Amino acid sequence: MQQKHLKKAATKNIRSAKRALLSFIKKGDQEKLHRFRTSVKKLRALAQMAGQASRGARLLRSLKPIRKIYKPGGKIRDCYQHLELGKQEQAGPGYLADQENQMEKAIVLFCRDKKKHLKRIRRSKKSLLKKLRPVKDIKLTLFYEQELRAVAEVFNNNPNDEELHTGRKRIKVLLYNLPLVRHILNMPVSEDYLDEVQTAIGNWHDLLLAGEIFPVLQKKAQTLRDQLRYQTNDFYDRATGPVAAAHQQAD
């Protein structure tokens, strides 16, 4: 993949992150904060793929400044999700008021640092674009094959909760980059199956964390955990099977 294509994709994600960030600071729309964090995840996924495939500079280091925005944004999202879950589970008014208070305080601190955030975005952009190098197509195919096999190995060995969650993160890196590299991969990859698995793991993980606050949800979390054994069975073959091949040909 040519350097200009990697830079174009990186620039697109940085612009998306910046727009969403400014919109959240101006209007307080939680969906915009979510979009900002998703754009950062896509940017990190691109840096991870390009860095590992080329064995070049550690590109993720370039994104340290923007991560200083991502983490406090995550605290706001956590409070928001706890608040929404509390409403859904009919939590007491004390719990709801506490979560809302924490969220509002976090938002004030976050928005107050607008100038710092913009400076961090510029630093990350400059550093990443400077370090990006072209990557051979065969190296990208090898990256996907190695990652899919590595995730399959995790699923085949009765993973604990942390390993299962980490497996999801690796799948999402592949999904975020797939629109960019699908046409040059020398192997089929089933986007539908990968998305099905990562969504299932995400739903389970959300319930797992929620169960720590609302014990009534723990049984639901365990049910989803049991179902994951079947969904991740023969992971590599299902992720690269005939359906994936047919999809690739259709593209």
Side-chain angles (χ1 to χ4, degrees), residues 149-180:
R149 290 193 181 280
V151 173
E153 185 68 18
V154 170
F155 291 157
N156 288 338
N157 287 290
N158 192 28
N160 57 36
D161 292 348
E162 183 177 352
E163 290 171 335
L164 195 57
H165 183 53
T166 299
R168 183 200 182 207
K169 291 180 180 179
R170 296 177 80 165
I171 292 173
K172 292 192 76 171
V173 168
L174 300 179
L175 283 170
Y176 284 144
N177 286 308
L178 195 55
L180 179 65

mmCIF file of all heavy atoms in Angstrom, residues 149-180:
data_model
loop_
_atom_site.group_PDB
_atom_site.id
_atom_site.type_symbol
_atom_site.label_atom_id
_atom_site.label_comp_id
_atom_site.label_asym_id
_atom_site.label_seq_id
_atom_site.Cartn_x
_atom_site.Cartn_y
_atom_site.Cartn_z
ATOM 1 N N ARG A 149 -5.141 -15.975 13.148
ATOM 2 C CA ARG A 149 -4.683 -17.229 13.759
ATOM 3 C C ARG A 149 -4.396 -17.040 15.249
ATOM 4 O O ARG A 149 -4.676 -17.930 16.062
ATOM 5 C CB ARG A 149 -3.443 -17.756 13.037
ATOM 6 C CG ARG A 149 -3.733 -18.283 11.630
ATOM 7 C CD ARG A 149 -2.573 -19.067 11.060
ATOM 8 N NE ARG A 149 -2.845 -19.533 9.713
ATOM 9 C CZ ARG A 149 -3.585 -20.614 9.412
ATOM 10 N NH1 ARG A 149 -4.129 -21.333 10.391
ATOM 11 N NH2 ARG A 149 -3.780 -20.974 8.160
ATOM 12 N N ALA A 150 -3.862 -15.899 15.606
ATOM 13 C CA ALA A 150 -3.570 -15.625 17.005
ATOM 14 C C ALA A 150 -4.852 -15.534 17.827
ATOM 15 O O ALA A 150 -4.941 -16.076 18.937
ATOM 16 C CB ALA A 150 -2.761 -14.340 17.134
ATOM 17 N N VAL A 151 -5.858 -14.868 17.279
ATOM 18 C CA VAL A 151 -7.142 -14.754 17.970
ATOM 19 C C VAL A 151 -7.810 -16.126 18.068
ATOM 20 O O VAL A 151 -8.389 -16.483 19.105
ATOM 21 C CB VAL A 151 -8.072 -13.757 17.249
ATOM 22 C CG1 VAL A 151 -9.469 -13.764 17.882
ATOM 23 C CG2 VAL A 151 -7.480 -12.350 17.307
ATOM 24 N N ALA A 152 -7.716 -16.914 16.992
ATOM 25 C CA ALA A 152 -8.278 -18.277 17.007
ATOM 26 C C ALA A 152 -7.626 -19.114 18.099
ATOM 27 O O ALA A 152 -8.306 -19.892 18.794
ATOM 28 C CB ALA A 152 -8.073 -18.932 15.645
ATOM 29 N N GLU A 153 -6.319 -18.956 18.271
ATOM 30 C CA GLU A 153 -5.594 -19.702 19.305
ATOM 31 C C GLU A 153 -6.101 -19.330 20.693
ATOM 32 O O GLU A 153 -6.256 -20.192 21.567
ATOM 33 C CB GLU A 153 -4.092 -19.396 19.199
ATOM 34 C CG GLU A 153 -3.220 -20.206 20.131
ATOM 35 C CD GLU A 153 -3.179 -21.694 19.773
ATOM 36 O OE1 GLU A 153 -3.533 -22.039 18.627
ATOM 37 O OE2 GLU A 153 -2.783 -22.497 20.650
ATOM 38 N N VAL A 154 -6.382 -18.056 20.890
ATOM 39 C CA VAL A 154 -6.927 -17.605 22.175
ATOM 40 C C VAL A 154 -8.285 -18.251 22.429
ATOM 41 O O VAL A 154 -8.543 -18.792 23.510
ATOM 42 C CB VAL A 154 -7.070 -16.064 22.196
ATOM 43 C CG1 VAL A 154 -7.867 -15.608 23.424
ATOM 44 C CG2 VAL A 154 -5.700 -15.404 22.197
ATOM 45 N N PHE A 155 -9.153 -18.218 21.437
ATOM 46 C CA PHE A 155 -10.497 -18.767 21.594
ATOM 47 C C PHE A 155 -10.477 -20.284 21.792
ATOM 48 O O PHE A 155 -11.365 -20.840 22.443
ATOM 49 C CB PHE A 155 -11.351 -18.421 20.375
ATOM 50 C CG PHE A 155 -11.693 -16.961 20.252
ATOM 51 C CD1 PHE A 155 -12.035 -16.416 19.023
ATOM 52 C CD2 PHE A 155 -11.680 -16.124 21.356
ATOM 53 C CE1 PHE A 155 -12.356 -15.067 18.898
ATOM 54 C CE2 PHE A 155 -11.993 -14.778 21.250
ATOM 55 C CZ PHE A 155 -12.327 -14.250 20.017
ATOM 56 N N ASN A 156 -9.485 -20.940 21.233
ATOM 57 C CA ASN A 156 -9.407 -22.406 21.329
ATOM 58 C C ASN A 156 -8.912 -22.891 22.685
ATOM 59 O O ASN A 156 -8.967 -24.091 22.973
ATOM 60 C CB ASN A 156 -8.477 -22.956 20.239
ATOM 61 C CG ASN A 156 -9.097 -22.874 18.856
ATOM 62 O OD1 ASN A 156 -10.324 -22.793 18.720
ATOM 63 N ND2 ASN A 156 -8.257 -22.888 17.827
ATOM 64 N N ASN A 157 -8.408 -21.977 23.505
ATOM 65 C CA ASN A 157 -7.781 -22.383 24.762
ATOM 66 C C ASN A 157 -8.522 -21.862 25.991
ATOM 67 O O ASN A 157 -7.904 -21.429 26.967
ATOM 68 C CB ASN A 157 -6.324 -21.910 24.794
ATOM 69 C CG ASN A 157 -5.434 -22.722 23.874
ATOM 70 O OD1 ASN A 157 -5.156 -23.889 24.115
ATOM 71 N ND2 ASN A 157 -5.005 -22.102 22.782
ATOM 72 N N ASN A 158 -9.858 -21.928 25.932
ATOM 73 C CA ASN A 158 -10.686 -21.564 27.074
ATOM 74 C C ASN A 158 -10.228 -20.243 27.694
ATOM 75 O O ASN A 158 -9.751 -20.204 28.835
ATOM 76 C CB ASN A 158 -10.654 -22.679 28.130
ATOM 77 C CG ASN A 158 -11.718 -22.495 29.193
ATOM 78 O OD1 ASN A 158 -12.766 -21.900 28.936
ATOM 79 N ND2 ASN A 158 -11.443 -22.990 30.402
ATOM 80 N N PRO A 159 -10.362 -19.133 26.978
ATOM 81 C CA PRO A 159 -9.835 -17.850 27.457
ATOM 82 C C PRO A 159 -10.538 -17.344 28.711
ATOM 83 O O PRO A 159 -11.728 -17.600 28.923
ATOM 84 C CB PRO A 159 -10.115 -16.920 26.272
ATOM 85 C CG PRO A 159 -11.303 -17.512 25.600
ATOM 86 C CD PRO A 159 -11.099 -18.999 25.714
ATOM 87 N N ASN A 160 -9.770 -16.642 29.552
ATOM 88 C CA ASN A 160 -10.400 -15.991 30.693
ATOM 89 C C ASN A 160 -11.047 -14.690 30.208
ATOM 90 O O ASN A 160 -10.970 -14.345 29.024
ATOM 91 C CB ASN A 160 -9.381 -15.725 31.814
ATOM 92 C CG ASN A 160 -8.200 -14.873 31.348
ATOM 93 O OD1 ASN A 160 -8.358 -13.969 30.525
ATOM 94 N ND2 ASN A 160 -7.018 -15.150 31.881
ATOM 95 N N ASP A 161 -11.665 -13.963 31.104
ATOM 96 C CA ASP A 161 -12.416 -12.765 30.723
ATOM 97 C C ASP A 161 -11.520 -11.726 30.036
ATOM 98 O O ASP A 161 -11.897 -11.137 29.026
ATOM 99 C CB ASP A 161 -13.083 -12.136 31.946
ATOM 100 C CG ASP A 161 -14.202 -13.010 32.501
ATOM 101 O OD1 ASP A 161 -14.596 -13.974 31.812
ATOM 102 O OD2 ASP A 161 -14.671 -12.728 33.617
ATOM 103 N N GLU A 162 -10.340 -11.497 30.591
ATOM 104 C CA GLU A 162 -9.442 -10.499 30.027
ATOM 105 C C GLU A 162 -8.964 -10.900 28.640
ATOM 106 O O GLU A 162 -8.898 -10.063 27.728
ATOM 107 C CB GLU A 162 -8.236 -10.289 30.946
ATOM 108 C CG GLU A 162 -7.282 -9.200 30.468
ATOM 109 C CD GLU A 162 -6.136 -8.966 31.425
ATOM 110 O OE1 GLU A 162 -6.150 -9.538 32.537
ATOM 111 O OE2 GLU A 162 -5.218 -8.213 31.065
ATOM 112 N N GLU A 163 -8.633 -12.167 28.456
ATOM 113 C CA GLU A 163 -8.166 -12.651 27.158
ATOM 114 C C GLU A 163 -9.268 -12.542 26.103
ATOM 115 O O GLU A 163 -9.006 -12.205 24.944
ATOM 116 C CB GLU A 163 -7.695 -14.096 27.278
ATOM 117 C CG GLU A 163 -6.406 -14.246 28.065
ATOM 118 C CD GLU A 163 -6.060 -15.696 28.373
ATOM 119 O OE1 GLU A 163 -7.005 -16.533 28.412
ATOM 120 O OE2 GLU A 163 -4.875 -15.993 28.590
ATOM 121 N N LEU A 164 -10.494 -12.814 26.518
ATOM 122 C CA LEU A 164 -11.620 -12.726 25.590
ATOM 123 C C LEU A 164 -11.829 -11.272 25.154
ATOM 124 O O LEU A 164 -12.046 -10.982 23.968
ATOM 125 C CB LEU A 164 -12.887 -13.258 26.263
ATOM 126 C CG LEU A 164 -14.085 -13.581 25.367
ATOM 127 C CD1 LEU A 164 -13.713 -14.590 24.302
ATOM 128 C CD2 LEU A 164 -15.239 -14.104 26.211
ATOM 129 N N HIS A 165 -11.737 -10.367 26.101
ATOM 130 C CA HIS A 165 -11.895 -8.937 25.796
ATOM 131 C C HIS A 165 -10.764 -8.442 24.893
ATOM 132 O O HIS A 165 -11.001 -7.672 23.954
ATOM 133 C CB HIS A 165 -11.916 -8.138 27.096
ATOM 134 C CG HIS A 165 -12.153 -6.674 26.913
ATOM 135 N ND1 HIS A 165 -13.224 -6.171 26.208
ATOM 136 C CD2 HIS A 165 -11.444 -5.596 27.334
ATOM 137 C CE1 HIS A 165 -13.176 -4.843 26.207
ATOM 138 N NE2 HIS A 165 -12.104 -4.463 26.870
ATOM 139 N N THR A 166 -9.546 -8.921 25.154
ATOM 140 C CA THR A 166 -8.406 -8.546 24.319
ATOM 141 C C THR A 166 -8.576 -9.092 22.896
ATOM 142 O O THR A 166 -8.218 -8.431 21.916
ATOM 143 C CB THR A 166 -7.092 -9.075 24.920
ATOM 144 O OG1 THR A 166 -6.914 -8.493 26.220
ATOM 145 C CG2 THR A 166 -5.900 -8.700 24.044
ATOM 146 N N GLY A 167 -9.128 -10.293 22.791
ATOM 147 C CA GLY A 167 -9.403 -10.870 21.474
ATOM 148 C C GLY A 167 -10.350 -9.990 20.683
ATOM 149 O O GLY A 167 -10.177 -9.800 19.470
ATOM 150 N N ARG A 168 -11.324 -9.424 21.361
ATOM 151 C CA ARG A 168 -12.257 -8.517 20.689
ATOM 152 C C ARG A 168 -11.533 -7.285 20.155
ATOM 153 O O ARG A 168 -11.790 -6.829 19.037
ATOM 154 C CB ARG A 168 -13.357 -8.091 21.656
ATOM 155 C CG ARG A 168 -14.401 -7.205 20.977
ATOM 156 C CD ARG A 168 -15.193 -6.394 21.953
ATOM 157 N NE ARG A 168 -16.213 -5.609 21.250
ATOM 158 C CZ ARG A 168 -16.698 -4.468 21.699
ATOM 159 N NH1 ARG A 168 -16.244 -3.943 22.828
ATOM 160 N NH2 ARG A 168 -17.615 -3.812 21.012
ATOM 161 N N LYS A 169 -10.635 -6.750 20.947
ATOM 162 C CA LYS A 169 -9.892 -5.562 20.515
ATOM 163 C C LYS A 169 -9.088 -5.851 19.248
ATOM 164 O O LYS A 169 -9.015 -5.018 18.344
ATOM 165 C CB LYS A 169 -8.950 -5.091 21.630
ATOM 166 C CG LYS A 169 -9.651 -4.512 22.840
ATOM 167 C CD LYS A 169 -8.629 -4.074 23.884
ATOM 168 C CE LYS A 169 -9.297 -3.481 25.114
ATOM 169 N NZ LYS A 169 -8.288 -3.082 26.136
ATOM 170 N N ARG A 170 -8.497 -7.048 19.171
ATOM 171 C CA ARG A 170 -7.712 -7.402 17.997
ATOM 172 C C ARG A 170 -8.608 -7.565 16.771
ATOM 173 O O ARG A 170 -8.222 -7.187 15.649
ATOM 174 C CB ARG A 170 -6.911 -8.678 18.269
ATOM 175 C CG ARG A 170 -5.894 -8.508 19.372
ATOM 176 C CD ARG A 170 -5.154 -9.768 19.702
ATOM 177 N NE ARG A 170 -4.076 -10.042 18.759
ATOM 178 C CZ ARG A 170 -3.100 -10.911 18.982
ATOM 179 N NH1 ARG A 170 -3.069 -11.596 20.121
ATOM 180 N NH2 ARG A 170 -2.160 -11.111 18.080
ATOM 181 N N ILE A 171 -9.798 -8.115 16.974
ATOM 182 C CA ILE A 171 -10.742 -8.249 15.870
ATOM 183 C C ILE A 171 -11.160 -6.872 15.362
ATOM 184 O O ILE A 171 -11.259 -6.641 14.145
ATOM 185 C CB ILE A 171 -11.991 -9.049 16.311
ATOM 186 C CG1 ILE A 171 -11.620 -10.511 16.574
ATOM 187 C CG2 ILE A 171 -13.086 -8.972 15.245
ATOM 188 C CD1 ILE A 171 -12.751 -11.326 17.170
ATOM 189 N N LYS A 172 -11.377 -5.936 16.280
ATOM 190 C CA LYS A 172 -11.815 -4.602 15.869
ATOM 191 C C LYS A 172 -10.737 -3.869 15.074
ATOM 192 O O LYS A 172 -11.049 -3.092 14.173
ATOM 193 C CB LYS A 172 -12.228 -3.788 17.102
ATOM 194 C CG LYS A 172 -13.496 -4.316 17.768
ATOM 195 C CD LYS A 172 -14.059 -3.354 18.787
ATOM 196 C CE LYS A 172 -14.760 -2.198 18.134
ATOM 197 N NZ LYS A 172 -15.511 -1.348 19.085
ATOM 198 N N VAL A 173 -9.472 -4.135 15.379
ATOM 199 C CA VAL A 173 -8.392 -3.554 14.582
ATOM 200 C C VAL A 173 -8.504 -4.028 13.143
ATOM 201 O O VAL A 173 -8.371 -3.244 12.194
ATOM 202 C CB VAL A 173 -7.012 -3.937 15.165
ATOM 203 C CG1 VAL A 173 -5.891 -3.589 14.185
ATOM 204 C CG2 VAL A 173 -6.780 -3.219 16.489
ATOM 205 N N LEU A 174 -8.790 -5.308 12.965
ATOM 206 C CA LEU A 174 -8.939 -5.864 11.615
ATOM 207 C C LEU A 174 -10.171 -5.279 10.911
ATOM 208 O O LEU A 174 -10.125 -4.968 9.724
ATOM 209 C CB LEU A 174 -9.055 -7.387 11.689
ATOM 210 C CG LEU A 174 -7.868 -8.122 12.327
ATOM 211 C CD1 LEU A 174 -8.128 -9.628 12.357
ATOM 212 C CD2 LEU A 174 -6.581 -7.825 11.585
ATOM 213 N N LEU A 175 -11.256 -5.118 11.651
ATOM 214 C CA LEU A 175 -12.478 -4.578 11.063
ATOM 215 C C LEU A 175 -12.323 -3.113 10.667
ATOM 216 O O LEU A 175 -12.782 -2.695 9.596
ATOM 217 C CB LEU A 175 -13.643 -4.733 12.042
ATOM 218 C CG LEU A 175 -14.249 -6.137 12.153
ATOM 219 C CD1 LEU A 175 -15.219 -6.209 13.323
ATOM 220 C CD2 LEU A 175 -14.964 -6.518 10.856
ATOM 221 N N TYR A 176 -11.690 -2.343 11.518
ATOM 222 C CA TYR A 176 -11.502 -0.918 11.217
ATOM 223 C C TYR A 176 -10.675 -0.718 9.948
ATOM 224 O O TYR A 176 -10.916 0.209 9.175
ATOM 225 C CB TYR A 176 -10.810 -0.224 12.383
ATOM 226 C CG TYR A 176 -11.690 0.052 13.582
ATOM 227 C CD1 TYR A 176 -11.182 -0.036 14.881
ATOM 228 C CD2 TYR A 176 -13.026 0.421 13.432
ATOM 229 C CE1 TYR A 176 -11.978 0.229 15.988
ATOM 230 C CE2 TYR A 176 -13.830 0.678 14.532
ATOM 231 C CZ TYR A 176 -13.293 0.582 15.808
ATOM 232 O OH TYR A 176 -14.092 0.843 16.899
ATOM 233 N N ASN A 177 -9.704 -1.599 9.738
ATOM 234 C CA ASN A 177 -8.816 -1.448 8.585
ATOM 235 C C ASN A 177 -9.318 -2.152 7.330
ATOM 236 O O ASN A 177 -8.825 -1.880 6.229
ATOM 237 C CB ASN A 177 -7.421 -2.000 8.927
ATOM 238 C CG ASN A 177 -6.650 -1.077 9.847
ATOM 239 O OD1 ASN A 177 -6.506 0.115 9.587
ATOM 240 N ND2 ASN A 177 -6.145 -1.634 10.949
ATOM 241 N N LEU A 178 -10.288 -3.034 7.457
ATOM 242 C CA LEU A 178 -10.718 -3.854 6.321
ATOM 243 C C LEU A 178 -11.190 -3.040 5.115
ATOM 244 O O LEU A 178 -10.830 -3.378 3.973
ATOM 245 C CB LEU A 178 -11.806 -4.836 6.767
ATOM 246 C CG LEU A 178 -12.115 -5.984 5.811
ATOM 247 C CD1 LEU A 178 -10.859 -6.781 5.477
ATOM 248 C CD2 LEU A 178 -13.179 -6.911 6.411
ATOM 249 N N PRO A 179 -11.971 -1.969 5.288
ATOM 250 C CA PRO A 179 -12.387 -1.198 4.106
ATOM 251 C C PRO A 179 -11.204 -0.625 3.320
ATOM 252 O O PRO A 179 -11.291 -0.447 2.108
ATOM 253 C CB PRO A 179 -13.241 -0.072 4.711
ATOM 254 C CG PRO A 179 -13.748 -0.633 5.983
ATOM 255 C CD PRO A 179 -12.615 -1.470 6.515
ATOM 256 N N LEU A 180 -10.109 -0.374 4.015
ATOM 257 C CA LEU A 180 -8.929 0.201 3.383
ATOM 258 C C LEU A 180 -8.101 -0.836 2.630
ATOM 259 O O LEU A 180 -7.518 -0.532 1.584
ATOM 260 C CB LEU A 180 -8.057 0.879 4.448
ATOM 261 C CG LEU A 180 -6.756 1.538 3.991
ATOM 262 C CD1 LEU A 180 -7.044 2.717 3.066
ATOM 263 C CD2 LEU A 180 -5.946 1.994 5.202
#
